[in-house]
């Protein structure tokens, strides 16, 4: 028994073809939207590629760009088929291509669905990328005279100002690295010498943060040095002064920014997938309803359209049987090649009679 069998007359077939033609062009615009989202996300990721550890995060925008291009191509082609299906003579040339095209559409919709899932599931990978990337970038904050790293100070400062964040996980991350360049340290000073000697790696560590960590909403001038020393500042307690520095780490801020963006894009791609599935179902009904016309010379006759010619169970069973036959055929070929190799490897015995 066919799955989702529907009866059609000429009027219904024409309406279905016209509706699908319109839906396919809507899908082309949806493909342009998906492509634009992927391009926008790629640009946003490239803006901050210096604070990311690897290029895995670009897998999502690349997938969106690819799906957008394929969507435009597939739906533009389907629109042409639907337009030509209004004329039986024009539709005849598409008949041999429709089954392979429907198979391609099926796999294309699977790819769209997985692309939508990837948008939702990339949070973990993105978090590790940002965590390691920010940690490495903060180490180069002081290298303003080193070629290739001189821009890192500006990048980190602009990042902390824009996203209202400080450090990797928090402002205390700056206490663990030397973020002040040696050229700005007075090595004749006893305080500088003592701090360097007290550190195993010979680094100048302070309980201070860059100016970009300061919160402009703070009612008092920003305290960025001796942050944890309450006695160094009048009427100050660093544990309660929440407005003095940004408390949120840049990893959390960037992760929230990108993951919310990807989740929104994933929701849009999921809607596009649902729309594409409805277009594919409609195209299948149109294809089968035109093929089942009993009298091609009478275009007004009734016909039947369906999604699957047999039930879902029977279709899966026949597909498995086809795969088994292909497997057996390959095995027979492999055995035949092995037998030929063995025969070729044998050398005839030659007996010499003296």
């Amino acid at each position: 028994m066919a799955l989702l069998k529907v009866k059609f007359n000429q009027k219904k077939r024409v309406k279905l073809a016209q509706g699908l033609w319109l839906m396919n062009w809507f899908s082309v615009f949806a493909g342009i939207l998906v492509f634009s989202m992927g391009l926008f996300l790629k640009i946003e990721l490239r803006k901050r590629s210096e604070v990311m550890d690897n290029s895995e995060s670009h897998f999502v925008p690349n997938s969106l760009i690819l799906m957008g291009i394929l969507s435009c191509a597939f739906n533009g082609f389907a629109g042409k088929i639907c337009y030509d299906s209004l004329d039986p003579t024009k539709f005849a040339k598409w008949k041999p291509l429709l089954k392979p095209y429907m198979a391609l559409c099926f796999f294309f919709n699977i790819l769209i669905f997985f692309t939508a899932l990837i948008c939702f599931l990339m949070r973990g990978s993105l978090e590790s990328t940002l965590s390691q990337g920010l940690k490495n970038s903060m180490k180069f904050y002081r290298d303003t005279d080193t070629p290739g790293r001189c821009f890192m100070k500006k990048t980190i400062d602009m990042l902390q100002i824009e996203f209202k964040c400080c450090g990797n996980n928090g402002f205390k991350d700056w206490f663990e690295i030397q973020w002040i360049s040696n050229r700005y340290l007075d090595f004749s000073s006893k305080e500088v010498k003592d701090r360097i000697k007290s550190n195993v790696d010979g680094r100048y560590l302070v309980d201070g943060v860059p100016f970009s960590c300061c919160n402009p909403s703070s009612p008092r001038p920003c305290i960025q040095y001796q942050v944890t020393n309450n006695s160094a500042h009048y009427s100050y307690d660093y544990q309660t002064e929440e407005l003095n520095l940004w408390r949120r780490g840049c990893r959390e801020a960037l992760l929230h920014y990108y993951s919310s963006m990807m989740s929104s894009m994933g929701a849009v791609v999921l809607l596009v997938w649902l729309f594409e599935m409805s277009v594919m179902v409609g195209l299948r009904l149109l294809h089968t309803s035109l093929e089942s016309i009993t009298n091609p010379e009478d275009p007004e006759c009734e016909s039947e359209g369906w999604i699957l010619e047999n039930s879902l169970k029977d279709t899966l069973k026949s597909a498995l049987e086809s795969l088994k036959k292909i497997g057996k055929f390959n095995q027979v070929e492999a055995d035949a090649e092995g037998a030929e190799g063995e025969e070729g490897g044998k050398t005839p015995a030659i007996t010499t009679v003296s």
Side-chain angles (χ1 to χ4, degrees), residues 45-109:
L45 289 169
R46 282 196 176 277
K47 279 182 184 178
R48 298 167 188 94
S49 58
E50 295 89 358
V51 297
M52 293 185 179
D53 184 47
N54 54 45
S55 59
E56 286 181 10
S57 54
H58 288 273
F59 181 72
V60 174
N62 290 341
S63 300
L64 290 172
I65 289 170
L66 178 62
M67 289 302 104
I69 294 170
L70 290 177
S71 179
C72 291
F74 274 98
N75 289 291
F77 184 71
K80 174 62 175 172
I81 293 173
C82 293
Y83 182 78
D84 286 350
S85 65
L86 297 171
D87 185 353
T89 55
K90 288 183 179 179
F91 177 75
K93 66 180 179 182
W94 297 114
K95 278 188 177 182
L97 299 174
L98 279 174
K99 282 188 178 178
Y101 175 74
M102 292 301 298
L104 287 174
C105 283
F106 178 74
F107 287 110
F108 170 65
N109 280 289

Side-chain angles (χ1 to χ4, degrees), residues 137-152:
S137 301
M138 287 169 64
K139 292 177 183 177
F140 304 140
Y141 183 88
R142 64 175 181 166
D143 297 339
T144 51
D145 297 328
T146 306
R149 298 177 185 172
C150 54
F151 61 88
M152 193 55 72

Side-chain angles (χ1 to χ4, degrees), residues 183-213:
R183 68 180 294 185
Y184 302 113
L185 296 175
D186 182 9
F187 286 95
S188 62
S189 169
K190 184 178 181 301
E191 181 187 354
V192 173
K193 287 180 180 179
D194 290 343
R195 281 191 178 274
I196 292 173
K197 286 179 182 178
S198 65
N199 186 265
V200 178
D201 299 327
R203 295 178 296 170
Y204 181 75
L205 303 181
V206 293
D207 57 341
V209 296
F211 79 96
S212 53
C213 283

